[in-house]
Amino acid sequence: MEYILIFISAIFVNNIVLSQFLGICPFLGVSQKVTTSLGMGAAVAFVLTLATIVTYLVQMFILEPFGLQYLQTIAFILVIAALVQMVEIVLKKVSPALYQALGIFLPLITTNCAVLGVAILVIQKEFSLVQSVVYAFSTAIGFALALTVFAGLREQLAFVNVPKGMRGMAIVLVTAGLLSLAFMGFSGVDGGLKILFGLN
């Protein structure tokens, strides 16, 4: 039940983009088409889960035993950047079709602060490795959901007569704000589930 709670909370209640405001750059930049946002969501899910596992192991077996916790941010950035490059090289050799599909988005993930944010959050929340993986994957699903819904809204905006002063980035930011307010409706769901399942 604890994992279900982490799963629901990460997707809806504490959505990484709409509640914690991490990963705003790709959220605004790669959300013009639903197909593009789905590709980005899949790439983020893969890299985010893998990066969380590796950074968790680095934290537990290198940084903490040697008292190097102050190097956490730098170490995590280096690990994520190296991991994305490695994934890109492996995909290019092993699966050229998948590389073509995700190749455009992989370099963007290196600068996605949601990946670094999740890696640090699992350490701060003192999650186990399994909890960290569940949280990372759920967060990636939440990111993909927000991105896809927002892309759908932006595609529909093309058919609407938007006032001249609100065209372009202005209406995009207003739409993002309204979507964020919509997701605020899920706040309290995790508290209700804790009471329902008797978790503290």
Side-chain angles (χ1 to χ4, degrees):
M1 289 304 161
E2 189 183 349
Y3 298 119
I4 293 168
L5 189 65
I6 291 169
F7 186 77
I8 292 168
S9 179
I11 294 171
F12 299 108
V13 183
N14 297 314
N15 188 284
I16 197 80
V17 182
L18 301 171
S19 296
Q20 300 182 57
F21 309 111
L22 292 171
I24 295 289
C25 221
F27 179 69
L28 294 174
V30 193
S31 60
Q32 283 140 4
K33 291 182 180 178
V34 172
T35 51
T36 312
S37 61
L38 285 169
M40 182 64 170
V44 167
F46 179 70
V47 172
L48 189 60
T49 308
L50 198 61
T52 303
I53 294 167
V54 176
T55 53
Y56 182 89
L57 295 173
V58 166
Q59 176 74 22
M60 293 301 154
F61 296 106
I62 297 172
L63 299 181
E64 282 186 11
F66 295 104
L68 300 170
Q69 292 94 327
Y70 61 92
L71 291 173
Q72 185 189 65
T73 307
I74 295 167
F76 283 13
I77 288 169
L78 289 172
V79 166
I80 291 163
L83 200 61
V84 171
Q85 289 300 313
M86 193 172 68
V87 166
E88 199 171 353
I89 291 164
V90 170
L91 276 180
K92 198 173 183 179
K93 294 280 184 190
V94 176
S95 177
L98 188 62
Y99 174 76
Q100 288 297 323
L102 301 179
I104 310 160
F105 308 114
L106 284 171
L108 292 172
I109 295 167
T110 312
T111 57
N112 187 348
C113 59
V115 180
L116 178 63
V118 170
I120 292 171
L121 279 170
V122 295
I123 305 299
Q124 288 177 349
K125 290 175 187 276
E126 296 180 350
F127 281 161
S128 67
L129 182 59
V130 178
Q131 287 175 323
S132 299
V133 171
V134 171
Y135 180 75
F137 185 69
S138 307
T139 301
I141 291 172
F143 178 84
L145 175 70
L147 199 65
T148 308
V149 170
F150 190 54
L153 290 171
R154 285 183 75 175
E155 281 187 357
Q156 291 301 312
L157 279 172
F159 304 107
V160 178
N161 188 16
V162 180
K164 194 176 180 182
M166 289 295 290
R167 286 176 193 162
M169 193 49 71
I171 193 69
V172 169
L173 292 173
V174 169
T175 307
L178 291 171
L179 188 60
S180 183
L181 283 170
F183 268 73
M184 278 181 69
F186 292 111
S187 60
V189 171
D190 58 340
L193 287 171
K194 281 180 184 176
I195 293 165
L196 184 68
F197 296 121
L199 297 168
N200 293 325

